[in-house]
Amino acid sequence: MLIDSHAHLEMPEFRQDLTEVIQRAKASGIDYIFTVGTEKKDWTRALEIAHSYPSVYAVLGVHPHNAREINDEAYSTLKRLCRDEKVKAYGEIGLDFYRNLSPRAVQLKRFREQIVLAKELKLPIVIHDREAHQETLGILKSEKAEDCGGIIHCFSGDDHMAKECIEMGFYISVPGTVTFKNTGGFQEIIKGLPLESLLIETDAPFLAPVPFRGKRNEPSYVRYTAQKVAEIKKVSLEKVAEVTTENALRVYRLKFG
Ligand SMILES: [Zn+2]
Ligand SMILES: [Zn+2]
């Protein structure tokens, strides 16, 4: 059993063949998929999918790219939607200083506000951090994010950051990029982290692992990422599957079976 801890099934890339995509995941041993609605137009679609497929759960929030679109109405809509029993976390929230699609000052403000909101909703948070490691860590600390815990999705920080996040009760989620030829030291970082703190994800439709690099990613491919983590850590695929599944069920507060 494997879990894809982070995908975007509500994105247009899956409009044509969503049922087949979910069936393929099931056939590949992926029991649960967490689909992340990152902006207003995607929230209800993510929930609709979660309610149509028993193996799919939803995560809702506003991505740093969309931080500038947030207003009071967006927050009240989120508050309402997040009380749905199929919503298991708040996110993805954080900072993206690579693309800077929202001004940095707005990203910082909305990141803080959304941590406060997630705590109010009693949900763990899913963090997006791209080229903003220092600032992300700073906000997680100053906002006492250890109170809600959660996941650093698509982790790209260094060893020191990983350890600080784990200490605050966060899980480090490994994307398909770990299978690439040149990972810039990422495989070494993963090697040094306890399996008990790792999750695996696709971030589908993005970041397909080898041998599908460059193609549309989908949850069934999370198996290739798990296989690579097993190789790096010199344990069996079964062990990686077992432990990362337990981790995902724990952070998303799901019960087995
Ligand atoms: Zn992200
Ligand atoms: Zn994502």
Side-chain angles (χ1 to χ4, degrees):
M1 173 168 161
L2 288 164
I3 289 180
D4 183 357
S5 73
H6 190 115
H8 299 283
L9 298 178
E10 60 290 322
M11 284 191 174
E13 285 84 347
F14 295 111
R15 200 145 293 156
Q16 299 301 320
D17 62 348
L18 181 64
T19 298
E20 287 88 333
V21 164
I22 292 171
Q23 279 168 354
R24 270 200 295 279
K26 202 88 195 159
S28 309
I30 288 84
D31 276 19
Y32 296 113
I33 303 164
F34 290 83
T35 196
V36 183
T38 58
E39 58 179 309
K40 195 173 179 209
K41 70 172 175 54
D42 289 342
W43 299 331
T44 44
R45 176 67 186 146
L47 265 183
E48 216 176 81
I49 296 170
H51 280 285
S52 307
Y53 301 92
S55 59
V56 180
Y57 288 91
V59 175
L60 305 180
V62 183
H63 194 285
H65 289 343
N66 308 94
R68 63 177 170 188
E69 295 156 23
I70 296 180
N71 52 28
D72 290 347
E73 189 212 328
Y75 279 147
S76 66
T77 305
L78 271 169
K79 268 189 208 173
R80 182 169 48 80
L81 296 177
C82 282
R83 301 202 192 276
D84 188 291
E85 53 172 17
K86 277 237 133 174
V87 175
K88 293 296 171 189
Y90 189 95
E92 55 190 283
I93 58 175
L95 303 170
D96 194 311
F97 289 178
Y98 176 70
R99 296 187 66 193
N100 292 305
L101 295 186
S102 286
R104 289 186 182 194
V106 176
Q107 291 189 44
L108 291 161
K109 176 173 183 279
R110 298 310 194 183
F111 183 20
R112 283 201 189 87
E113 285 173 2
Q114 292 192 90
I115 295 174
V116 173
L117 177 55
K119 286 192 200 177
E120 189 187 318
L121 292 163
K122 298 191 166 39
L123 290 171
I125 51 180
V126 175
I127 303 296
H128 171 106
D129 155 35
R130 194 150 180 217
E131 298 198 359
H133 307 323
Q134 213 66 43
E135 294 85 348
T136 298
L137 200 51
I139 288 184
L140 289 178
K141 284 183 179 168
S142 64
E143 293 302 326
K144 301 200 183 338
E146 68 267 21
D147 294 350
C148 52
I151 300 165
I152 316 292
H153 115 85
C154 205
F155 184 77
S156 61
D158 63 8
D159 179 58
H160 167 78
M161 180 179 182
K163 285 178 179 151
E164 293 234 36
C165 291
I166 290 170
E167 224 161 89
M168 279 191 282
F170 279 79
Y171 289 82
I172 302 296
S173 187
V174 183
T177 49
V178 76
T179 65
F180 293 0
K181 212 168 219 156
N182 190 349
T183 65
F186 185 49
Q187 292 187 356
E188 279 304 306
I189 292 169
I190 296 307
K191 196 174 177 174
L193 299 177
L195 195 52
E196 287 66 29
S197 296
L198 300 182
L199 301 179
I200 45 171
E201 67 168 81
T202 57
D203 204 16
F206 313 111
L207 303 176
V210 173
F212 304 104
R213 188 173 180 178
K215 307 243 164 60
R216 180 190 74 171
N217 199 359
E218 63 170 64
S220 64
Y221 299 167
V222 84
R223 173 166 291 279
Y224 294 88
T225 302
Q227 183 63 55
K228 180 55 80 177
V229 170
E231 258 171 57
I232 294 168
K233 299 194 77 67
K234 297 190 168 52
V235 296
S236 65
L237 174 61
E238 290 69 30
K239 182 75 181 169
V240 170
E242 184 194 319
V243 178
T244 58
T245 294
E246 278 174 17
N247 295 344
L249 295 177
R250 193 177 312 115
V251 66
Y252 284 125
R253 299 169 194 155
L254 280 169
K255 299 227 161 48
F256 273 102

